[in-house]
Amino acid sequence: MSDLQAQLLELIRLTATSLPPDVETALQDAAEWEDEASTARNVLQTMLRNAAIARANSTPICQDTGTPIFYVEYPQSYSTLELKAIIRAAVSEATEKNYLRPNAVDSLTGRNSGDNLGDAYFPEFHFEEHTGSDLRITLLLKGGGCENVGCQYALPDARLKADRDLEGVRKAALDAVFQAQGRGCAPGFLGIAIGGDRSTSFAASKEVFLEKIGEHHIDPEIATLEARITREANQLDIGPMGMGGHTTVLGTRITQLHRLPASYFVSVSYMCWAFRRRSLTLAYGKAIYD
Amino acid sequence: MTEAAVSLTTPIADAAILSLHSGDSVLLNGVIVTARDRAHQWLYERFIRQSVAPTLDDLIVYDALKPYLNNGLIYHCGPIVAELPDGSYQFIAAGPTTSIREEPYQAEIIQHFNLKGVIGKGGMGTATLQACAQTPAVYFHAVGGAAALIAQSVIEVLDVYKLEFGMPEAMWVIRVENFPAVVTMDAHNRSLHEQILTRSKWNLENLLG
């Protein structure tokens, strides 16, 4: 096994079993915000207790280890074919070690491959070549429950009275949170993309999950909208796991893409509270995990 | 939510189910069976709608499951299970999966097998709520994603059926101890999920203006 494969195995283990510090802090803050002895606080405390057990035992936080999505930023001298092969080998090994649940199912036969290796789209890869010398690989594990509640609006939307403007985006986002109820494992994080075509729009709505919680859009107007969507989603009273309470959404991030004159998509990706995101950076011969 | 959790052990008597109300905390004990998407469709097509003729293997599995399910519980869960060197199994991660996907099958499965409840997350619809009132049965809500914690409640894996469905979709017969859950749909036509939906719809309409 190559050094890189061993480092990738550690990246997968860490992602599946250890909630990132910013996510854990957001859950802790939410637990304190909820009323004492409420169901909402109790549910949030269960989530935090679960995260502690998973980290201590090095077992997955959630049994649905989701779609492994790899974002790879690589120096010019690297081969993406080789990187893919090493990552796939590490995924298979991580499945054998029970860090990942076998999740790749043939859609026609129903057969589970058993090792998380499916076709070219499973696991999922996003490669980006850069001029630096570092190799940086970020892994998102996105579970099926929250993936199922993601949705896409084509504005204008008569039902929501949502026009092609930021007010329309706000309405679409709140409707998405309402439709999800507790089924996406609230409290969730919203990734919203405005514009693009159907596929680039959804892809961009997930890329915002790579950033740490608490970061905001560079445009103050959009940053204000992000905060407003989070605040108003929490007024819906859906609460943790949809059992009522003040915490339905822990954060909202918005991004935008150029669009066709005819299209105005608003894509909403929902990330469950078990927001599993970790990075491996290889620089100057050292492996750094964050 | 009541203060002290009620302990329930399978097989569960009707009287115990009827005494439960939406909002009650419970600790579940005894033998339960995991079943999710493929298992529900498989049970439904072969033994309820009977649109597919069961094979001999299907019939053997059906006969083996029936005693567990009678007065028993189904858990909507696709676990991570380790196979130990001696061939036995150990649950590693076992939180609930989203229950609403089983809504087309659940009511008739509850009645066919005389289930006393299903455990899952996110709640279920009106057909299941009606079946809960008629059988009687309840819906137990477990905390989604709390897989490491719930796995600690699984003290023994007794058997597994239809492993060819894959690890998540197989039917695992497990013994649990103090599995924490909350009743969110009771046998008296009360559903917390319906209440939250109604309330959040009203809130949404105010926010949309």
Side-chain angles (χ1 to χ4, degrees):
Chain A
M1 188 173 64
S2 69
D3 283 356
L4 181 56
Q5 190 179 324
Q7 286 154 344
L8 282 161
L9 179 65
E10 174 56 12
L11 172 68
I12 298 167
R13 187 199 67 79
L14 196 63
T15 313
T17 64
S18 179
L19 214 52
D22 56 324
V23 176
E24 202 159 352
T25 302
L27 287 168
Q28 277 159 353
D29 291 348
E32 274 169 41
W33 187 37
E34 291 288 354
D35 303 334
E36 236 172 280
S38 62
T39 300
R41 183 183 277 195
N42 191 28
V43 169
L44 287 163
Q45 284 171 340
T46 301
M47 291 166 179
L48 287 163
R49 210 160 56 237
N50 179 69
I53 293 169
R55 185 175 292 131
N57 295 348
S58 198
T59 58
I61 298 160
C62 176
Q63 78 289 340
D64 185 2
T65 52
T67 309
I69 313 176
F70 290 92
Y71 295 89
V72 184
E73 295 161 75
Y74 63 100
Q76 285 171 325
S77 55
Y78 276 65
S79 153
T80 59
L81 277 178
E82 278 172 28
L83 283 170
K84 239 186 219 182
I86 296 169
I87 292 173
R88 284 173 72 94
V91 163
S92 169
E93 198 190 351
T95 312
E96 212 172 291
K97 291 188 177 305
N98 296 309
Y99 299 141
L100 299 177
R101 185 178 72 181
N103 265 359
V105 179
D106 185 306
S107 293
L108 299 182
T109 64
R111 192 182 155 271
N112 190 318
S113 72
D115 58 6
N116 264 311
L117 302 181
D119 54 26
Y121 298 93
F122 204 110
E124 191 179 321
F125 293 100
H126 299 271
F127 284 103
E128 191 69 43
E129 187 173 312
H130 70 136
T131 51
S133 59
D134 301 356
L135 174 67
R136 184 171 167 82
I137 303 176
T138 303
L139 171 59
L140 277 187
L141 295 176
K142 192 167 189 302
C146 69
E147 185 64 6
N148 283 350
V149 300
C151 55
Q152 196 167 58
Y153 297 82
L155 302 189
D157 184 305
R159 179 178 66 89
L160 297 173
K161 298 191 193 75
D163 301 312
R164 291 180 160 194
D165 50 28
L166 293 182
E167 176 61 4
V169 173
R170 182 185 72 91
K171 288 178 175 178
L174 292 174
D175 184 65
V177 176
F178 166 74
Q179 299 293 343
Q181 291 289 302
R183 291 189 290 275
C185 281
F189 299 83
L190 301 181
I192 300 174
I194 309 169
D197 67 12
R198 286 196 183 274
S199 56
T200 57
S201 192
F202 260 134
S205 72
K206 286 181 188 168
E207 264 171 41
V208 296
F209 295 137
L210 300 179
E211 291 166 39
K212 296 258 190 312
I213 296 157
E215 287 177 30
H216 293 289
H217 199 284
I218 194 163
D219 178 336
E221 194 186 358
I222 308 298
T224 304
L225 180 61
E226 291 175 340
R228 184 177 174 193
I229 289 170
T230 300
R231 189 175 67 246
E232 293 186 345
N234 288 335
Q235 290 166 13
L236 292 171
D237 200 11
I238 291 168
M241 293 313 300
M243 298 170 82
H246 309 306
T247 322
T248 303
V249 167
L250 291 170
T252 303
R253 289 304 316 272
I254 298 175
T255 187
Q256 72 284 339
L257 302 89
H258 279 79
R259 61 179 177 84
L260 294 177
S263 304
Y264 194 110
F265 294 114
V266 177
S267 304
V268 184
S269 280
Y270 195 106
M271 178 61 90
C272 60
W273 70 262
F275 182 169
R276 289 153 287 171
R277 173 228 315 118
R278 291 281 183 173
S279 295
L280 162 68
T281 307
L282 290 175
Y284 308 108
K286 276 195 177 151
I288 302 153
Y289 299 93
D290 60 19
Chain B
M1 197 156 156
T2 53
E3 285 300 310
V6 182
S7 259
L8 293 167
T9 303
T10 61
I12 304 172
D14 286 358
I17 291 298
L18 290 167
S19 72
L20 294 172
H21 294 91
S22 178
D24 289 350
S25 291
V26 296
L27 292 170
L28 303 170
N29 297 278
V31 178
I32 65 175
V33 181
T34 72
R36 53 176 295 164
D37 308 78
R38 280 194 74 179
H40 276 77
Q41 192 179 341
W42 175 82
L43 287 170
Y44 189 78
E45 285 178 346
R46 278 152 186 83
F47 305 107
I48 294 169
R49 192 170 63 190
Q50 299 181 357
S51 56
V52 179
T55 62
L56 182 61
D57 178 66
D58 289 341
L59 290 166
I60 291 168
V61 173
Y62 175 74
D63 284 339
L65 287 172
K66 259 168 81 173
Y68 293 125
L69 298 180
N70 186 30
N71 294 310
L73 303 173
I74 273 180
Y75 180 24
H76 297 153
C77 172
I80 299 178
V81 187
E83 194 175 350
L84 303 179
D86 66 358
S88 66
Y89 293 106
Q90 187 190 350
F91 267 40
I92 303 291
T97 191
T98 311
S99 299
I100 196 69
R101 295 192 307 270
E102 316 318 335
E103 184 65 13
Y105 319 111
Q106 198 69 72
E108 286 169 82
I109 286 177
I110 287 173
Q111 290 175 321
H112 182 89
F113 290 102
N114 187 37
L115 286 175
K116 289 301 115 185
V118 294
I119 313 162
K121 74 171 174 85
M124 302 194 73
T126 47
T128 300
L129 190 61
Q130 279 170 15
C132 283
Q134 286 161 8
T135 307
V138 294
Y139 178 82
F140 296 105
H141 197 283
V143 173
L149 186 131
I150 294 172
Q152 293 189 333
S153 300
V154 180
I155 53 168
E156 190 184 358
V157 180
L158 299 175
D159 221 328
V160 58
Y161 296 100
K162 293 286 170 189
L163 195 51
E164 66 266 31
F165 288 173
M167 183 198 288
E169 298 269 11
M171 287 172 279
W172 297 90
V173 182
I174 53 176
R175 186 183 301 282
V176 297
E177 206 173 79
N178 295 329
F179 180 134
V182 176
V183 178
T184 54
M185 293 164 65
D186 62 25
H188 313 288
N189 287 304
R190 287 228 319 160
S191 164
L192 174 72
H193 308 284
E194 237 174 59
Q195 287 172 27
I196 299 280
L197 184 72
T198 307
R199 200 161 68 203
S200 58
K201 188 167 200 292
W202 192 83
N203 291 334
L204 177 72
E205 277 160 11
N206 281 334
L207 288 165
L208 293 190

